Amino acid sequence: MFEIDIERDFSAAHQLKGYQGNCSALHGHNWTVQAVIQVSELDELGIGIDFRKLKRDLDDILEKYDHRNLSELPEFSASNPTSERLAELVYRRLAERVNDGRVKVQRVRICESPGSGATYYE
């Protein structure tokens, strides 16, 4: 089994409704996203998954969130755009693009600041 990972960044704002503290106010983060992909076997070139394709797929997903107020997006109308919820959302959207029986998204980690993040996996 192989694990391949990439890391990407984006900037976005959010606020946590119902939170007792300063995170209830609109504020921004420079978010870091790490995606870890599990590959059961390599292709004929010895590659698990093309890094360029994986980066492009993740960038396409994150483009919707970059320089946006996450709290205003429809996917967060029923919940706060926390690191946990964002990790789950990115995981599922990336899995739709890359999972194929040989390749599977293993986990997605979202950090809203250095040393503070949340990981989602199934």
Side-chain angles (χ1 to χ4, degrees), residues 52-68:
R52 289 186 309 167
K53 179 196 179 323
L54 185 56
K55 289 175 184 176
R56 188 171 47 249
D57 285 341
L58 186 53
D59 286 345
D60 285 349
I61 293 164
L62 298 179
E63 181 180 12
K64 181 177 183 180
Y65 307 119
D66 191 36
H67 287 80
R68 299 290 304 272

Side-chain angles (χ1 to χ4, degrees), residues 18 37 75 79 103:
I37 309 301
E75 51 265 59
S79 65
V103 175

Side-chain angles (χ1 to χ4, degrees), residues 5-45:
D5 62 271
I6 61 167
E7 191 170 289
R8 309 307 272 171
D9 300 299
F10 71 100
S11 298
H14 71 157
Q15 64 189 105
L16 303 181
K17 296 176 183 129
Y19 182 82
Q20 300 301 311
N22 60 355
C23 291
S24 64
L26 183 64
H27 63 284
H29 295 287
N30 292 316
W31 306 80
T32 301
V33 180
Q34 180 193 44
V36 178
I37 309 301
Q38 187 177 59
V39 180
S40 59
E41 58 187 60
L42 304 178
D43 68 12
E44 64 279 354
L45 299 174

